[in-house]
């Protein structure tokens, strides 16, 4: 791809078409090229992923995945999700003319279920663990359009790295701070920045700070010598006890020279309030990474003058009835 010839291309993730393994025609709702906004104070930059069409970064992966599946003749897909991926798959399936059935945990916030239903998808609530939801979806008829198993999804989320490179005038941030459940954001970022380094567009990878909740920290807990937690957390988007790509997530953090952090529900609520005071309305999961970033800034965890980017992963309207 000619990285120096992007001027005049569409202001969406499809400006990077040559880097995306998808078919034709493109299934799009105008996703990508979300704002990068400086925090009012504290040295952070926020990538406002709630500005995507369904209100989360998952639209990036869904656009690429549904383009590929629809172009291959798919007529029916199934997905399991705690909400945001389900909404994205439902929306882009509707755009592609593909039927979608979304399996969700019984406790999924009503706002997310309403959104999925609005796109015409069938919603199946599953009691029990998040793993039980995945098992039910995998046993259902239709193509399994999984945001955590299908690698095409990560080629969508990697475009966030490309956009940051453009928005930072050809640089990488020093640090990227991201919440981690199944790792679809963090692994996409790692993939995108690796491609930029391989193309000699960047000299190095940014460091990845992976953040989990104290209530559900299957990767950060062991890494920091802390408890894994009982699975209870406000951050339903990362309430994942068994990440299916755990080894890849750990390897990506290590490769970047990054670190792990854990935040509790009190810190998540405080970060939501602080973001609100700056004009950002986010769901609890989207406050996980800012909570960790602000704590690290206050404690000297970043070098002076470092460029620190924190994706705000989902809009607050997605969880308006779930403590948002």
């Amino acid at each position: 791809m000619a990285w120096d010839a992007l001027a005049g291309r569409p202001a969406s993730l499809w400006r990077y078409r040559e880097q995306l393994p998808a078919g034709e025609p493109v299934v799009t709702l105008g996703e990508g090229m979300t704002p990068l906004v400086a925090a009012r104070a504290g040295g952070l930059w926020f990538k406002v992923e709630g500005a995507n069409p369904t209100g989360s970064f998952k639209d990036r992966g869904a656009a690429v995945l549904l383009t590929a599946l629809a172009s291959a003749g798919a007529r029916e897909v199934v997905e399991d999700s705690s909400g945001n991926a389900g909404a994205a798959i439902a929306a882009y399936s509707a755009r592609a003319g593909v039927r979608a059935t979304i399996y969700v945990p019984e406790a999924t916030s009503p706002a997310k279920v309403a959104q999925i239903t609005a796109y015409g998808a069938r919603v199946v609530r599953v009691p029990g663990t998040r793993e039980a939801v995945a098992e039910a979806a995998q046993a259902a008829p239709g193509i399994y359009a999984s945001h955590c198993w299908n690698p095409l999804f990560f080629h969508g989320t990697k475009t966030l790295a490309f956009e940051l490179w453009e928005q930072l005038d050809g640089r990488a941030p020093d640090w990227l701070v991201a919440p981690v459940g199944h790792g679809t954001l963090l692994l996409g970022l790692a993939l995108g920045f690796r491609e930029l380094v391989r193309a000699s567009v960047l000299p190095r990878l940014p460091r990845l700070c992976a953040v989990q909740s104290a209530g559900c920290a299957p990767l950060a807990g062991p890494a920091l010598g802390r408890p894994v937690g009982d699975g209870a957390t406000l951050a339903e988007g990362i309430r994942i006890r068994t990440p299916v790509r755990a080894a890849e997530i750990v390897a990506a953090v290590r490769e970047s020279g990054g670190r792990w952090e854990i935040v509790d529900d009190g810190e998540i609520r405080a970060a939501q309030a602080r973001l609100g005071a700056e004009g950002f309305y986010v769901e609890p999961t989207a406050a996980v990474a800012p909570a960790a970033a602000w704590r690290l800034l206050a404690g000297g965890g970043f070098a002076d003058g470092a460029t620190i980017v924190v994706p705000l992963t989902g809009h607050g309207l997605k969880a308006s009835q779930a403590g948002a």
Side-chain angles (χ1 to χ4, degrees), residues 1-322:
M1 177 169 169
W3 292 99
D4 59 351
L6 292 170
R9 291 196 175 195
S12 78
L13 64 80
W14 296 102
R15 66 197 282 107
Y16 313 113
R17 185 68 180 86
E18 298 93 326
Q19 298 297 116
L20 300 176
E24 296 288 349
V26 163
V27 179
T28 182
L29 291 166
E31 57 289 332
M33 289 310 293
T34 54
L36 182 65
V37 182
R40 193 165 56 205
L44 302 182
W45 288 86
F46 297 122
K47 184 71 163 144
V48 189
E49 289 295 284
N52 278 303
T54 78
S56 88
F57 78 92
K58 298 285 178 62
D59 290 354
R60 297 176 181 274
V64 173
L65 179 54
L66 263 297
T67 293
L69 293 179
S71 68
R75 292 294 175 264
E76 183 173 1
V77 299
V78 296
E79 161 72 312
D80 58 277
S81 167
S82 59
N84 285 343
I89 294 295
Y92 286 85
S93 293
R95 186 69 174 172
V98 174
R99 294 187 302 276
T101 300
I102 311 298
Y103 289 74
V104 302
E106 199 167 41
T108 297
S109 66
K112 290 180 181 177
V113 173
Q115 185 182 15
I116 293 168
T117 303
Y119 299 127
R122 184 169 73 97
V123 175
V124 179
R125 293 177 179 269
V126 180
T129 66
R130 182 65 180 78
E131 289 70 31
V133 181
E135 290 170 6
Q138 291 164 17
I143 295 172
Y144 186 39
S146 171
H147 65 290
C148 48
W149 281 113
N150 195 309
L152 290 171
F153 201 94
F154 298 89
H155 283 279
T157 57
K158 78 181 181 185
T159 60
L160 199 150
F162 301 161
E163 290 177 21
L164 288 173
W165 167 75
E166 283 199 78
Q167 291 170 321
L168 293 172
D169 298 322
R171 296 182 297 113
D174 296 296
W175 283 91
L176 270 159
V177 188
V180 170
H182 274 306
T184 51
L185 176 58
L186 184 134
L187 290 174
L189 286 164
L191 176 61
F193 279 110
R194 281 191 209 108
E195 290 186 10
L196 290 169
V197 170
R198 282 199 298 269
S200 300
V201 174
L202 286 175
R204 57 166 181 81
L205 298 172
R207 293 186 176 185
L208 300 175
C209 178
V211 191
Q212 294 196 306
S213 164
C216 192
L219 303 178
L224 297 173
R226 299 265 302 275
V228 167
D230 60 6
T233 175
L234 284 172
E236 65 178 351
I238 57 171
R239 196 183 292 152
I240 307 296
R241 299 187 189 190
T242 311
V244 300
R245 294 180 179 270
E248 293 174 53
I249 297 167
V250 171
V253 174
R254 184 180 299 121
E255 177 189 12
S256 76
R259 63 189 298 162
W260 291 90
E261 292 292 328
I262 292 174
V263 296
D264 61 32
D265 280 1
E267 291 175 292
I268 293 170
R269 285 193 182 278
Q272 274 187 289
R274 185 169 176 177
L275 287 164
E278 293 206 21
F280 301 106
Y281 183 36
V282 303
E283 64 174 324
T285 302
V288 167
W294 272 317
R295 187 177 67 200
L296 286 167
L297 274 172
F302 299 122
D304 290 344
T307 301
I308 306 148
V309 172
V310 185
L312 301 182
T313 53
H315 200 284
L317 290 174
K318 287 178 157 291
S320 57
Q321 299 176 51

